[in-house]
Amino acid sequence: MSARAGFTVAIDGPAAAGKGTVSRAVAGHFGFAHLDTGLLYRAVARRMLDAGGGYDAGRAEAIAAALEPADLDRGDLRTAEVAQAASRVAAVPQVRAALLEFQRAFAARAGGAVLDGRDIGTVICPEADVKLFVTASDAVRAGRRFRELTEKGFDTDFDTVLADLRARDARDADRIDAPLKPAGDALLLDTSEMSIEQAVAAAIAAVEARLTG
Ligand code: DC
């Protein structure tokens, strides 16, 4: 079934809740384009870390304004260091403002789009056709992230991963501008007790219902 131009699926949630997996699967199933918006903030953070000199809101804003598509393709965006720095630059309103139009244009593209992040259903695409808020318990999320990191060869332990995750969630949820929270009309998907297949099936069913309803 083909979606009308601008059909948008907004998938938000805290770190390691499974929204990336669900988003990719939904996009693949319906032939929609997919944007992992966390990569935008990670790319800004990566360039800031590369430049040295520590964290600076003004510098983060300048980097965000000059971000290029190739920055999102870097292979070194998924480290714990970049995740924490991304959460810090994401709290800068000017950084968020600099990245807003790119995300809205992506959402409006022909053929449908899935965007995942923290503020897609609340700020970037408040009119999204489908909104999901994917979550899971802290322990489950930390367990998933821990396995992911160790499989990639990172030397870490569960407690460190859990503490990092909680620190990042707190920063993402407590910031003034576009904090992490479910949109009022989002469907909540708690994946704590779900397999990947079950979570994906629930998300696909929600989109299907909107496309056919
Ligand atoms: O989804 P992620 O873990 O790759 O995101 C990295 C950080 O980027 C996250 O801690 C907060 C920020 N972020 C955001 O503020 N808004 C988004 N739409 C996506 C990510």
Side-chain angles (χ1 to χ4, degrees):
M1 175 170 320
S2 66
R4 64 166 174 74
F7 188 95
T8 306
V9 182
I11 303 187
D12 292 303
K19 59 186 188 308
T21 306
V22 167
S23 301
R24 279 189 297 277
V26 167
H29 183 87
F30 293 101
F32 297 164
H34 170 230
L35 178 64
D36 170 357
T37 65
L39 285 181
L40 299 169
Y41 299 92
R42 285 175 183 261
V44 172
R46 179 74 265 172
R47 280 181 57 175
M48 200 179 66
L49 293 169
D50 287 349
Y55 168 81
D56 176 80
R59 223 149 49 79
E61 180 189 353
I63 293 170
L67 210 64
E68 291 171 8
D71 288 317
L72 306 184
D73 295 332
R74 291 180 57 158
D76 54 0
L77 300 180
R78 299 207 179 272
T79 67
E81 184 193 21
V82 171
Q84 292 298 336
S87 172
R88 294 193 69 188
V89 300
V92 180
Q94 293 83 351
V95 168
R96 307 198 70 82
L99 301 174
L100 186 100
E101 274 319 310
F102 175 77
Q103 295 174 80
R104 288 210 173 134
F106 191 97
R109 61 170 51 202
V114 180
L115 285 80
D116 76 87
R118 304 291 187 288
D119 64 338
I120 308 304
T122 51
V123 175
I124 305 295
C125 304
E127 308 297 332
D129 298 272
V130 180
K131 297 181 187 178
L132 300 177
F133 193 84
V134 181
T135 187
S137 71
D138 291 4
V140 166
R141 292 188 295 119
R144 288 177 186 161
R145 184 50 50 89
F146 173 66
R147 274 194 301 280
E148 216 175 274
L149 290 170
T150 46
E151 275 164 20
K152 283 187 194 162
F154 289 102
D155 181 22
T156 186
D157 59 86
F158 177 84
D159 290 341
T160 305
V161 173
L162 180 62
D164 275 4
L165 209 99
R166 284 182 169 152
R168 194 145 72 91
D169 286 349
R171 206 183 295 114
D172 294 345
D174 293 345
R175 68 181 176 225
I176 307 284
D177 194 18
L180 164 69
K181 65 169 182 199
D185 52 353
L187 175 73
L188 293 184
L189 198 59
D190 186 333
T191 67
S192 304
E193 310 273 316
M194 282 184 183
S195 65
I196 290 172
E197 290 76 17
Q198 287 170 320
V200 165
I204 287 176
V207 176
E208 193 81 56
R210 187 79 170 98
L211 280 169
T212 55

